Amino acid sequence: MTPQEIQARLLYRDGLMLVIDKPAGLPVHAGPGGGDNLERSFEHLRFGLPKAPSLAHRLDRDTSGCLALGRQHKGLSRLGKLFQAGQVEKTYWAITTQAPPEAQGTIDNYLLKKTTRAGGWKMVICDKNDNQSQHSVTDYRLLGSGENVHWLELHPRTGRTHQIRVHLASLGCPILGEPIYLPDGSPKPSQKLHLHSRALVLPLYPKKDPIRVEAPPPPHMLTALRACGYHPDHE
C-alpha cells in the first residue's frame, strides 16, 4: 500500500495505539512463502515516532475491519495484556447462507488445529480432554435476513484461530464465501468471505472511558447487508 492508501484506512490514533481498517484478502504479516502483507505498510504509520507500529492481535487474511496496533513498547504491552485477559470487547458482522437454529445464543466448545490430507491445516471441534485443545466461546444474534442471506452480530469471548468461521459452520450456517469450513463436496465459493471486524472497545486508559472504534462494512458485503435490512444512515 502507498502511504496515502494505508493512512486513509486509519480509524483511530493516540499516543499509544492506532486502529486501522484492514482490507479483506491481504494477510497481516508475511507467511512462510513471503508475499504481500499489511505489515509492509506500517512504516507509513509512524507519524513522527522512531519505529513503525506493531500488531497487537491478528485477523485472518480474508477478514476485514478493525485491527489494533501498538505504537511503542508501552502501547503494545498494554494492548497485549488486554487482549490476553479477554478485556477487549470485539464485535464482528457475518453474512451466512443459512439462518442459525436460534435467533441468538452462545457457541461453547473446544478447537484443535489439524493437518489436512492436502498438506494444509484447518481448525476442528474436538473433545475438551485433548491436551492440545483450546476452549472457545462465541455469542451471536441474528440482526436480519434476506433471500438466502442472514446477517449476524458476533462477540467472541476468546480469540482462537478461525473461531467464528468454525463456530458458524458447526451450527449449519457457514459464512458466505467460506472456502474451508463447508460440507465435503461443496463447490468453491465465488465471493469473498463475508466476515468483518466491526468494532473494538478497548479499556486502554484506566482513568478514562474505554475507546470504541468502528469500521464501515467493506464494499463486497454491502449487497448482502442491504438485502438483510442494513442501512448506512442508521449508524
Side-chain angles (χ1 to χ4, degrees), residues 95-98 146-150 176:
I95 299 293
T96 63
T97 57
Q98 302 288 333
E147 186 175 356
N148 301 318
V149 286
H150 308 273
L176 182 63

Side-chain angles (χ1 to χ4, degrees), residues 130-142:
D130 189 306
N131 59 13
Q132 293 183 316
S133 67
Q134 293 182 307
H135 190 208
S136 59
V137 183
T138 304
D139 300 318
Y140 73 88
R141 68 184 179 112
L142 182 65

